[in-house]
Amino acid sequence: MAPWRKHEFTHKLPGEHVYNGILFFGFSPPDTLRAVRDFTVREDDVFIATYPKAGTTWMQEIIWLIMHDGDFKGASETPVYFRSPFLEFKDEILNEVGLELANPMSSPRVIKTHLPYSMIPRHLQQHSCKTVVVFRNPKDLCVSYYHFYKSSSSMGNFQGSWEEFFEMFMTGHVDHGSWFDYTKSWWEVKDNPNVKVTFYEDMKRDLRKEVVELCSFLGKPLSNEIIDDIVRHCGFESMRRNPMTNHEDVYSINKEISPLMRKGTVGDWKNYFTVAQNELADYFYRRHLGDTGLQFTYEL
Ligand code: PPS
């Protein structure tokens, strides 16, 4: 065990397994991860690539609305996780099986994945459909993931301390593996014209600007009025109150412990990180991503 670590990791994710050297929860089983590689993409698909807790649901709602010309009625009738399938997810209780939802879905599909670049569908790596990557600074993301680990039975309702979770996150001992490896894998393809890298913090700073840029990247010119409506609809408070986006009916999330729409801010990490943890996080960042030129915003 590395000298800085104080905890043996005892927490087990339900059905956890290691695939391609990456830890996964049981809701991304090996057969699904294999099948994802053979998934056939369509020219007009849009993929949303995120590490968990980076602002995935936020981007799903925005892109679904852009691709469906601001169909707010449609968005009010079906939860976002059924409109925008999570490719490598398989939950028979919720009847949310990403591949089964995506395959028969009419175009344009908006598909979510938390997989690193090397594990996405082979066809997507060769195809010219669009992928929007959302990055979020790892400190806020780690805090968000900690709360999700505690509130979600799919994560095994983590009972350990913040300190232990911090160590798990830094070492990549969490569902979908190392944030550092994940981030590197997608940053390496940032110059592909079909990939657009966006940042949670930029969305917080100026959501309208981001929506306008997304419309242009996705080739969907929308009226100023629809863009304004999307920006309003996708504000944090609006999405928190909206049962179609806040995962209210998802059995695995205990909202009393923490709802999916928890805080939605930049800088919450300061309420959790000790000075030593902050220094360690910066050290890990320099070690893993220091030579990439990729920089994050940690406060607004
Ligand atoms: S998941 O389960 O991996 O798909 O989770 P994900 O959607 O990626 O991340 C959840 C965090 O995103 C925040 N969120 C938002 N922030 C600002 N504005 C809007 N509209 C918004 N929608 C979701 C959500 O609150 C979670 O972050 P934390 O920091 O926990 O609040």
Side-chain angles (χ1 to χ4, degrees), residues 27 79 81-82 89-97 101 247 249-253:
F27 294 85
Y81 52 85
F82 283 135
F89 192 69
K90 186 179 189 179
D91 183 339
E92 319 259 18
I93 299 175
L94 191 63
N95 201 15
E96 191 191 343
V97 179
L101 286 171
H247 290 34
D249 59 345
V250 174
Y251 75 93
S252 54
I253 302 177

Side-chain angles (χ1 to χ4, degrees), residues 74-244:
S76 74
E77 290 168 348
T78 311
V80 62
Y81 52 85
F82 283 135
R83 280 179 282 126
S84 169
F86 178 6
L87 199 59
E88 69 271 21
F89 192 69
K90 186 179 189 179
D91 183 339
E92 319 259 18
I93 299 175
L94 191 63
N95 201 15
E96 191 191 343
V97 179
L99 290 165
E100 286 174 15
L101 286 171
N103 275 324
M105 197 169 246
S106 57
S107 290
R109 301 183 298 187
V110 178
I111 300 173
K112 149 184 173 177
T113 178
H114 290 322
L115 292 172
Y117 185 77
S118 63
M119 291 181 68
I120 63 172
R122 283 188 196 85
H123 205 198
L124 175 58
Q125 292 169 332
Q126 299 145 8
H127 234 66
S128 57
C129 64
K130 304 266 170 45
T131 301
V132 174
V133 180
V134 188
F135 285 147
R136 184 180 191 183
N137 84 63
K139 298 177 190 175
D140 281 325
L141 187 147
C142 179
V143 169
S144 181
Y145 213 177
Y146 166 63
H147 288 281
F148 191 63
Y149 249 69
K150 290 189 350 166
S151 64
S152 170
S153 62
S154 57
M155 296 295 167
N157 290 111
F158 181 64
Q159 301 289 323
S161 62
W162 155 251
E163 190 181 58
E164 181 176 354
F165 185 81
F166 171 83
E167 293 182 12
M168 288 159 58
F169 181 81
M170 285 298 146
T171 52
H173 189 75
V174 284
D175 170 48
H176 279 75
S178 159
W179 177 86
F180 299 97
D181 293 346
Y182 174 91
T183 301
K184 193 164 203 171
S185 82
W186 279 100
W187 185 245
E188 279 169 359
V189 296
K190 69 179 187 321
D191 296 327
N192 178 332
N194 296 313
V195 173
K196 177 173 173 57
V197 171
T198 64
F199 292 89
Y200 179 99
E201 294 77 16
D202 289 344
M203 290 162 71
K204 284 297 294 186
R205 198 182 273 124
D206 189 345
L207 186 54
R208 194 176 199 288
K209 178 168 173 279
E210 296 302 308
V211 172
V212 168
E213 280 183 21
L214 284 164
C215 288
S216 147
F217 173 69
L218 298 170
K220 290 288 291 185
L222 297 179
S223 69
N224 280 333
E225 202 187 345
I226 294 181
I227 289 175
D228 287 340
D229 287 344
I230 292 177
V231 171
R232 252 192 307 275
H233 176 95
C234 293
F236 179 73
E237 274 309 315
S238 162
M239 281 187 60
R240 192 178 65 79
R241 283 194 306 266
N242 180 352
M244 295 301 127

Side-chain angles (χ1 to χ4, degrees), residues 64-75:
W64 191 89
L65 284 166
I66 292 176
M67 296 309 291
H68 293 84
D69 304 304
D71 178 8
F72 294 98
K73 184 169 180 297

